[in-house]
């Protein structure tokens, strides 16, 4: 969730229930706390939450809510711009395990990818002047579909780990530099 700088609007991810989400929640509820597959069940539930959430803006004075269409994007990490008119979030598409992107969205604006860097990113941090976004380069995609319980994987990260780095997105030029 995020609060606009003027405190008038809240943004959150509203979860829309369906049979897959209900089944994943029931599987976690029914599993013993020490079950070997509990972590896989929790990952499956988190995946369903990512797939079934919508960005909602709530006017905190009157309680009125407005859903923002995100065209099938998986999403997390909401952050308002300093003027409160733009909301940034980390988004990705099912099946794109080696990439996610930072998007901007507004009440009358469809999601627009911000920056031009490939790879994995963390949710954005907005600078107080609103001219740049900062993120860390990731080694794991929070939108990666989990393996089914019992399909192994050993719990490792797999692949080559990248050294820590920051991405800086110049919002005027829509260009990304890595430091």
């Amino acid at each position: 969730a995020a609060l606009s700088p003027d405190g008038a609007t809240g943004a959150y991810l509203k979860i829309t229930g369906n049979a897959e989400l209900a089944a994943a929640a029931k599987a976690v509820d029914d599993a013993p706390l020490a079950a070997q597959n509990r972590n896989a069940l929790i990952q499956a539930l988190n995946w369903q939450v990512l797939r079934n959430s919508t960005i909602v803006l709530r006017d905190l004075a009157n309680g009125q809510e407005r859903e923002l269409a995100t065209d099938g994007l998986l999403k997390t990490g909401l952050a308002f711009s300093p003027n409160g008119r733009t909301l940034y979030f980390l988004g990705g598409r099912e099946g794109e395990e080696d990439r996610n992107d930072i998007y901007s969205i507004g009440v009358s604006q469809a999601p627009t990818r911000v920056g031009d860097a490939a790879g994995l990113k963390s949710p954005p941090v907005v600078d107080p002047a609103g001219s740049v976004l900062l993120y860390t380069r990731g080694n794991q995609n929070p939108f990666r579909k989990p393996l089914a319980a019992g399909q192994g994987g050993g719990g490792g990260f797999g692949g080559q780990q990248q050294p820590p780095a920051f991405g800086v997105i110049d919002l005027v030029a829509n260009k990304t530099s890595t430091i």
Side-chain angles (χ1 to χ4, degrees):
L3 181 64
S4 65
D6 65 4
T9 306
Y12 69 97
L13 294 171
K14 179 180 179 181
I15 301 167
T16 305
N18 67 20
E20 291 175 311
L21 179 63
K26 183 172 179 0
V28 170
D29 287 344
D30 292 349
L33 288 176
Q36 285 186 326
N37 69 338
R38 187 166 179 82
N39 189 40
L41 294 173
I42 291 170
Q43 289 175 4
L45 175 59
N46 287 338
W47 171 250
Q48 289 302 323
V49 167
L50 288 170
R51 293 182 73 218
N52 295 288
S53 63
T54 303
I55 296 176
V56 175
L57 296 178
R58 175 181 268 199
D59 183 312
L60 298 178
N62 63 23
Q64 192 172 32
E65 293 189 341
R66 173 180 251 167
E67 292 187 8
L68 304 180
T70 56
D71 189 31
L73 286 169
L74 306 171
K75 53 217 150 286
T76 191
L78 307 176
F80 274 100
S81 65
N83 67 13
R85 291 187 295 240
T86 301
L87 188 68
Y88 297 100
F89 66 95
L90 182 66
R93 299 220 177 263
E94 283 190 49
E96 289 186 1
E97 295 187 6
D98 61 347
R99 178 183 188 116
N100 59 33
D101 289 293
I102 296 171
Y103 291 85
S104 66
I105 193 169
V107 171
S108 59
Q109 171 201 344
T112 303
R113 189 176 73 189
V114 178
D116 59 352
L120 302 174
K121 302 155 196 76
S122 69
V125 175
V126 183
D127 94 290
S131 59
V132 299
L133 298 178
L134 179 72
Y135 66 88
T136 55
R137 183 173 60 194
N139 285 310
Q140 284 220 313
N141 192 341
F143 305 121
R144 191 181 119 231
K145 185 175 182 178
L147 296 173
Q151 285 191 329
F157 290 102
Q160 183 68 29
Q161 295 289 302
Q162 298 180 15
F166 292 97
V168 179
I169 302 172
D170 178 328
L171 293 172
V172 174
N174 200 32
K175 295 291 181 188
T176 305
S177 58
T178 304
I179 53 175

